[in-house]
Amino acid sequence: MSNIVLSYLQAEALLERRQAGETRAAVSPDLGLTEREVSIEPDGAHFPDGQILTWEALETISASLRVCFLVIEGAVRKIQVFSEATDRLYSLMPTQGAPTMLVSGIPMHRIKGIDPHQDTLRKIKTIAPIKGYVLDTATGLGYTAIQAAKSADRVVTIELDPAALEIAGLNPWSQGLFENPKITQIVGDSCEQIKNLGDGAFARIIHDPPAFSLAGDLYSAEFYGELFRVLGRGGRLFHYIGDLESKSGRVVARGAMRRLGEAGFSRVVRRPEAFGLVAYK
Ligand SMILES: C[S@@+](CC[C@H](N)C(=O)[O-])C[C@H]1O[C@@H](n2cnc3c(N)ncnc32)[C@H](O)[C@@H]1O
């Protein structure tokens, strides 16, 4: 029985169909990736795999705008994990497109006027063509790793918090992270794990850390020195910062540009469309 993952978007659509007196409805069991036909019965929505989701459960889902739900044998549970390792709450938050992950209430992708998938494409495009070995310093939901693996020879991706990977494991949009043999996952702190990686080993680096206030080490001169060391000659680094036009984005970008230059990068350019910087070696 494959996982059914639903958000308020699918729940609302089912409730509306029932209200309209329909007997069947097309619904996505994986947050918009595919569709299944369910039958609308008095006790709930009957999925093709035999699971029955009660109208009460669908009401609960439709009232929760900031978390997705996993359906197991007709019961629903929030896709939300409290991390003992970092004392933070991780949850899978729906959008009209790919879901994002909330870490203590902060979305890990852009969701205003853009969805996480488009956000990912913009990040990746700044260092196109993606080729050779790619280092992804912050796995999260794995979107950048999955996208990079489409053209890279290999992607090494590092995630500090097993809770984030637990959320990714339940996210239909993250399955490539676990299925693509080109992707190697490392669980640990990028600041430590990067020391085990070879000089010049990567042609591209995607550095997509949480906000400066949550993960200052990932913006430090010492870490930038390690990024420079593991990048090969002619390599490129994308560094997500946040809105470069905002006050905090301007301040963080200025400091990051200075430290990247000091670390040895020959050129650092602002890429406002991707909310980040690109550094060249
Ligand atoms: C903005 S998200 C990354 C999003 C990801 N690139 C994607 O496409 O889904 C940042 C991630 O970095 C992780 N993280 C925070 N500190 C870290 C560290 N020191 N080393 C590795 N990962 C870290 C967080 O747990 C979070 O999952």
Side-chain angles (χ1 to χ4, degrees):
M1 204 183 278
S2 66
N3 282 344
I4 295 176
V5 178
L6 301 177
S7 77
Y8 73 94
L9 293 163
Q10 291 80 40
E12 269 176 4
L14 280 171
L15 291 163
E16 277 166 19
R17 290 307 185 91
R18 179 198 189 207
Q19 194 73 31
E22 313 230 352
T23 55
R24 302 197 71 78
V27 66
S28 175
D30 47 19
L31 302 177
L33 291 174
T34 65
E35 282 201 336
R36 296 274 181 288
E37 180 137 304
V38 303
S39 91
I40 295 179
E41 307 284 346
D43 59 345
H46 290 220
F47 281 77
D49 67 356
Q51 298 203 65
I52 300 169
L53 202 50
T54 63
W55 297 112
E56 198 186 0
L58 284 159
E59 293 281 1
T60 303
I61 298 173
S62 78
S64 305
L65 307 190
R66 284 172 70 84
V67 66
C68 299
F69 288 79
L70 176 65
V71 180
I72 313 168
E73 292 171 20
V76 294
R77 84 158 170 88
K78 286 181 182 170
I79 301 186
Q80 194 166 64
V81 177
F82 180 75
S83 168
E84 301 289 341
T86 53
D87 250 5
R88 290 183 178 146
L89 184 68
Y90 288 75
S91 32
L92 190 67
M93 177 187 167
T95 77
Q96 296 285 341
T100 186
M101 181 165 66
L102 295 179
V103 180
S104 299
I106 301 174
M108 290 291 111
H109 306 87
R110 290 173 63 190
I111 51 174
K112 284 189 192 137
I114 183 170
D115 73 43
H117 180 61
Q118 292 303 324
D119 173 40
T120 302
L121 295 181
R122 286 202 199 173
K123 289 169 183 164
I124 296 289
K125 202 171 161 202
T126 63
I127 51 168
I130 298 278
K131 53 180 188 171
Y133 279 34
V134 176
L135 173 64
D136 178 51
T137 61
T139 311
L141 289 181
Y143 294 164
T144 44
I146 293 166
Q147 192 59 37
K150 292 194 172 159
S151 56
D153 293 334
R154 191 175 155 199
V155 178
V156 174
T157 181
I158 308 173
E159 171 58 52
L160 175 68
D161 203 326
L165 297 176
E166 202 178 315
I167 298 288
L170 295 171
N171 176 17
W173 291 71
S174 297
Q175 291 317 295
L177 180 62
F178 307 96
E179 289 164 5
N180 189 331
K182 283 205 257 175
I183 301 178
T184 303
Q185 288 189 49
I186 297 175
V187 182
D189 183 342
S190 274
C191 297
E192 294 304 319
Q193 296 297 326
I194 199 167
K195 294 178 185 157
N196 304 326
L197 303 174
D199 294 358
F202 297 93
R204 298 285 183 270
I205 300 177
I206 301 155
H207 183 41
D208 186 13
F212 184 76
S213 55
L214 290 180
D217 286 0
L218 295 174
Y219 296 73
S220 66
E222 190 188 350
F223 187 65
Y224 290 173
E226 286 294 310
L227 292 175
F228 184 76
R229 181 183 65 76
V230 301
L231 191 63
R233 202 179 300 172
R236 297 172 195 178
L237 158 75
F238 170 74
H239 183 344
Y240 182 84
I241 298 281
D243 186 357
L244 300 185
E245 314 296 338
S246 74
K247 195 174 165 212
S248 66
R250 268 200 303 274
V251 173
V252 174
R254 201 179 311 130
M257 289 178 91
R258 180 175 45 76
R259 290 190 298 282
L260 287 166
E262 287 166 3
F265 288 95
S266 58
R267 198 157 62 92
V268 185
V269 298
R270 297 157 52 90
R271 297 300 296 263
E273 80 286 5
F275 278 24
L277 306 171
V278 172
Y280 296 82
K281 177 163 174 177

